[in-house]
Amino acid sequence: MVTKEKPQIELRDLVLLGIIIAMKIILGRFSIGSNVVHVSLGFIGSVMLGYMFGPVWGAIGGGISDLVASVLFSNQGGFFIGFTLSAMLGPLIYGWFFYQKPVKIWRIIVATLLVTVIINLGLNTVWVHLLYGLDIKAALIQRLPKETIVPWIQMVVDYFVLTALARVKLRK
């Protein structure tokens, strides 16, 4: 009989997961821009979730952070399942590229570009279209300048965050 093991997490790691979720929520509050186009530091939490907990627990942490942020700070539109899905997919992608792997510049570039194209330009543009009724082409045109500049800044920040985490070696 073949059994699948469920991903398990120890109490120490669960506490650390909670701390990083809280950091992601707080960093996400430091943002500028409108509901259609905004820049925040929340990506740092997503990178940390993926790097430290892998795709599965990183995605779970990303989803929890979006749900908690929606409850605490519902002034930006409240809960929308699409953005929760996006919040889960970011750490999932980062987990595929960073979890238990050496920090390499090519990994940072590919992971950041995938998140930018699939989630930020793709899914989030669709969510903005569905939520606010904005024409999808207009939403994409508004979001495109930000998504051509900000990922390169994120890559530099990601590099410093990941190399610092690799030096600290919080994992077992």
Side-chain angles (χ1 to χ4, degrees), residues 32-49:
I32 57 170
S34 66
N35 286 339
V36 177
V37 179
H38 76 276
V39 178
S40 79
L41 298 174
F43 73 93
I44 296 171
S46 294
V47 169
M48 290 176 69
L49 285 169

PDB file of all heavy atoms in Angstrom, residues 32-49:
ATOM      1  N   ILE A  32       3.099  52.312  -1.768  1.00  0.00           N
ATOM      2  CA  ILE A  32       2.674  53.546  -2.414  1.00  0.00           C
ATOM      3  C   ILE A  32       1.910  53.178  -3.670  1.00  0.00           C
ATOM      4  O   ILE A  32       2.127  52.121  -4.256  1.00  0.00           O
ATOM      5  CB  ILE A  32       3.880  54.460  -2.766  1.00  0.00           C
ATOM      6  CG1 ILE A  32       4.872  53.730  -3.666  1.00  0.00           C
ATOM      7  CG2 ILE A  32       4.551  54.983  -1.529  1.00  0.00           C
ATOM      8  CD1 ILE A  32       5.943  54.614  -4.242  1.00  0.00           C
ATOM      9  N   GLY A  33       0.986  54.024  -4.063  1.00  0.00           N
ATOM     10  CA  GLY A  33       0.227  53.795  -5.274  1.00  0.00           C
ATOM     11  C   GLY A  33      -1.239  53.551  -4.981  1.00  0.00           C
ATOM     12  O   GLY A  33      -1.693  53.612  -3.837  1.00  0.00           O
ATOM     13  N   SER A  34      -1.979  53.271  -6.047  1.00  0.00           N
ATOM     14  CA  SER A  34      -3.416  53.042  -5.944  1.00  0.00           C
ATOM     15  C   SER A  34      -3.714  51.549  -5.863  1.00  0.00           C
ATOM     16  O   SER A  34      -2.808  50.717  -5.846  1.00  0.00           O
ATOM     17  CB  SER A  34      -4.112  53.629  -7.181  1.00  0.00           C
ATOM     18  OG  SER A  34      -3.720  52.899  -8.330  1.00  0.00           O
ATOM     19  N   ASN A  35      -5.017  51.221  -5.832  1.00  0.00           N
ATOM     20  CA  ASN A  35      -5.408  49.809  -5.832  1.00  0.00           C
ATOM     21  C   ASN A  35      -5.027  49.123  -7.137  1.00  0.00           C
ATOM     22  O   ASN A  35      -4.784  47.924  -7.160  1.00  0.00           O
ATOM     23  CB  ASN A  35      -6.915  49.679  -5.610  1.00  0.00           C
ATOM     24  CG  ASN A  35      -7.312  49.968  -4.183  1.00  0.00           C
ATOM     25  OD1 ASN A  35      -6.484  49.889  -3.280  1.00  0.00           O
ATOM     26  ND2 ASN A  35      -8.564  50.310  -3.973  1.00  0.00           N
ATOM     27  N   VAL A  36      -4.983  49.874  -8.226  1.00  0.00           N
ATOM     28  CA  VAL A  36      -4.653  49.294  -9.527  1.00  0.00           C
ATOM     29  C   VAL A  36      -3.152  49.045  -9.643  1.00  0.00           C
ATOM     30  O   VAL A  36      -2.720  47.995 -10.086  1.00  0.00           O
ATOM     31  CB  VAL A  36      -5.148  50.216 -10.671  1.00  0.00           C
ATOM     32  CG1 VAL A  36      -4.744  49.662 -12.021  1.00  0.00           C
ATOM     33  CG2 VAL A  36      -6.655  50.387 -10.602  1.00  0.00           C
ATOM     34  N   VAL A  37      -2.348  50.021  -9.244  1.00  0.00           N
ATOM     35  CA  VAL A  37      -0.893  49.905  -9.322  1.00  0.00           C
ATOM     36  C   VAL A  37      -0.305  50.380  -7.998  1.00  0.00           C
ATOM     37  O   VAL A  37      -0.452  51.536  -7.636  1.00  0.00           O
ATOM     38  CB  VAL A  37      -0.317  50.775 -10.471  1.00  0.00           C
ATOM     39  CG1 VAL A  37       1.197  50.654 -10.510  1.00  0.00           C
ATOM     40  CG2 VAL A  37      -0.917  50.408 -11.799  1.00  0.00           C
ATOM     41  N   HIS A  38       0.321  49.451  -7.270  1.00  0.00           N
ATOM     42  CA  HIS A  38       1.003  49.866  -6.046  1.00  0.00           C
ATOM     43  C   HIS A  38       2.274  49.050  -5.849  1.00  0.00           C
ATOM     44  O   HIS A  38       2.391  47.942  -6.343  1.00  0.00           O
ATOM     45  CB  HIS A  38       0.083  49.774  -4.821  1.00  0.00           C
ATOM     46  CG  HIS A  38      -0.130  48.400  -4.316  1.00  0.00           C
ATOM     47  ND1 HIS A  38      -1.060  47.539  -4.823  1.00  0.00           N
ATOM     48  CD2 HIS A  38       0.488  47.713  -3.315  1.00  0.00           C
ATOM     49  CE1 HIS A  38      -1.017  46.393  -4.171  1.00  0.00           C
ATOM     50  NE2 HIS A  38      -0.084  46.464  -3.256  1.00  0.00           N
ATOM     51  N   VAL A  39       3.213  49.646  -5.148  1.00  0.00           N
ATOM     52  CA  VAL A  39       4.500  49.027  -4.861  1.00  0.00           C
ATOM     53  C   VAL A  39       4.605  48.884  -3.348  1.00  0.00           C
ATOM     54  O   VAL A  39       4.369  49.840  -2.616  1.00  0.00           O
ATOM     55  CB  VAL A  39       5.659  49.902  -5.393  1.00  0.00           C
ATOM     56  CG1 VAL A  39       7.004  49.286  -5.052  1.00  0.00           C
ATOM     57  CG2 VAL A  39       5.528  50.131  -6.883  1.00  0.00           C
ATOM     58  N   SER A  40       4.938  47.679  -2.896  1.00  0.00           N
ATOM     59  CA  SER A  40       5.101  47.470  -1.464  1.00  0.00           C
ATOM     60  C   SER A  40       6.321  46.594  -1.206  1.00  0.00           C
ATOM     61  O   SER A  40       6.922  46.052  -2.131  1.00  0.00           O
ATOM     62  CB  SER A  40       3.850  46.824  -0.859  1.00  0.00           C
ATOM     63  OG  SER A  40       3.826  45.444  -1.124  1.00  0.00           O
ATOM     64  N   LEU A  41       6.642  46.453   0.052  1.00  0.00           N
ATOM     65  CA  LEU A  41       7.766  45.608   0.458  1.00  0.00           C
ATOM     66  C   LEU A  41       7.323  44.192   0.823  1.00  0.00           C
ATOM     67  O   LEU A  41       8.129  43.401   1.305  1.00  0.00           O
ATOM     68  CB  LEU A  41       8.490  46.254   1.644  1.00  0.00           C
ATOM     69  CG  LEU A  41       9.116  47.621   1.384  1.00  0.00           C
ATOM     70  CD1 LEU A  41       9.675  48.202   2.676  1.00  0.00           C
ATOM     71  CD2 LEU A  41      10.192  47.525   0.325  1.00  0.00           C
ATOM     72  N   GLY A  42       6.072  43.858   0.590  1.00  0.00           N
ATOM     73  CA  GLY A  42       5.548  42.540   0.944  1.00  0.00           C
ATOM     74  C   GLY A  42       6.242  41.392   0.244  1.00  0.00           C
ATOM     75  O   GLY A  42       6.239  40.259   0.732  1.00  0.00           O
ATOM     76  N   PHE A  43       6.873  41.657  -0.898  1.00  0.00           N
ATOM     77  CA  PHE A  43       7.569  40.599  -1.632  1.00  0.00           C
ATOM     78  C   PHE A  43       8.694  39.992  -0.799  1.00  0.00           C
ATOM     79  O   PHE A  43       9.039  38.820  -0.981  1.00  0.00           O
ATOM     80  CB  PHE A  43       8.097  41.131  -2.966  1.00  0.00           C
ATOM     81  CG  PHE A  43       9.290  42.038  -2.845  1.00  0.00           C
ATOM     82  CD1 PHE A  43      10.576  41.531  -2.940  1.00  0.00           C
ATOM     83  CD2 PHE A  43       9.125  43.398  -2.645  1.00  0.00           C
ATOM     84  CE1 PHE A  43      11.674  42.371  -2.826  1.00  0.00           C
ATOM     85  CE2 PHE A  43      10.205  44.241  -2.532  1.00  0.00           C
ATOM     86  CZ  PHE A  43      11.493  43.730  -2.622  1.00  0.00           C
ATOM     87  N   ILE A  44       9.265  40.769   0.125  1.00  0.00           N
ATOM     88  CA  ILE A  44      10.347  40.250   0.971  1.00  0.00           C
ATOM     89  C   ILE A  44       9.835  39.082   1.814  1.00  0.00           C
ATOM     90  O   ILE A  44      10.499  38.053   1.951  1.00  0.00           O
ATOM     91  CB  ILE A  44      10.935  41.361   1.866  1.00  0.00           C
ATOM     92  CG1 ILE A  44      11.581  42.447   0.998  1.00  0.00           C
ATOM     93  CG2 ILE A  44      11.936  40.800   2.861  1.00  0.00           C
ATOM     94  CD1 ILE A  44      11.998  43.689   1.752  1.00  0.00           C
ATOM     95  N   GLY A  45       8.633  39.228   2.361  1.00  0.00           N
ATOM     96  CA  GLY A  45       8.036  38.140   3.128  1.00  0.00           C
ATOM     97  C   GLY A  45       7.770  36.915   2.273  1.00  0.00           C
ATOM     98  O   GLY A  45       7.964  35.776   2.710  1.00  0.00           O
ATOM     99  N   SER A  46       7.331  37.125   1.036  1.00  0.00           N
ATOM    100  CA  SER A  46       7.079  35.996   0.128  1.00  0.00           C
ATOM    101  C   SER A  46       8.367  35.245  -0.181  1.00  0.00           C
ATOM    102  O   SER A  46       8.388  34.009  -0.200  1.00  0.00           O
ATOM    103  CB  SER A  46       6.450  36.494  -1.179  1.00  0.00           C
ATOM    104  OG  SER A  46       5.177  37.021  -0.952  1.00  0.00           O
ATOM    105  N   VAL A  47       9.438  35.985  -0.420  1.00  0.00           N
ATOM    106  CA  VAL A  47      10.738  35.367  -0.692  1.00  0.00           C
ATOM    107  C   VAL A  47      11.205  34.572   0.530  1.00  0.00           C
ATOM    108  O   VAL A  47      11.680  33.437   0.406  1.00  0.00           O
ATOM    109  CB  VAL A  47      11.780  36.435  -1.093  1.00  0.00           C
ATOM    110  CG1 VAL A  47      13.184  35.870  -1.109  1.00  0.00           C
ATOM    111  CG2 VAL A  47      11.425  37.021  -2.446  1.00  0.00           C
ATOM    112  N   MET A  48      11.050  35.156   1.713  1.00  0.00           N
ATOM    113  CA  MET A  48      11.468  34.467   2.939  1.00  0.00           C
ATOM    114  C   MET A  48      10.640  33.202   3.166  1.00  0.00           C
ATOM    115  O   MET A  48      11.181  32.163   3.559  1.00  0.00           O
ATOM    116  CB  MET A  48      11.351  35.414   4.137  1.00  0.00           C
ATOM    117  CG  MET A  48      12.366  36.531   4.120  1.00  0.00           C
ATOM    118  SD  MET A  48      12.152  37.706   5.474  1.00  0.00           S
ATOM    119  CE  MET A  48      12.635  36.688   6.870  1.00  0.00           C
ATOM    120  N   LEU A  49       9.333  33.275   2.925  1.00  0.00           N
ATOM    121  CA  LEU A  49       8.485  32.090   3.083  1.00  0.00           C
ATOM    122  C   LEU A  49       8.933  30.974   2.152  1.00  0.00           C
ATOM    123  O   LEU A  49       9.055  29.820   2.561  1.00  0.00           O
ATOM    124  CB  LEU A  49       7.018  32.441   2.815  1.00  0.00           C
ATOM    125  CG  LEU A  49       6.288  33.214   3.899  1.00  0.00           C
ATOM    126  CD1 LEU A  49       4.942  33.721   3.382  1.00  0.00           C
ATOM    127  CD2 LEU A  49       6.093  32.361   5.139  1.00  0.00           C
TER     128      LEU A  49
END
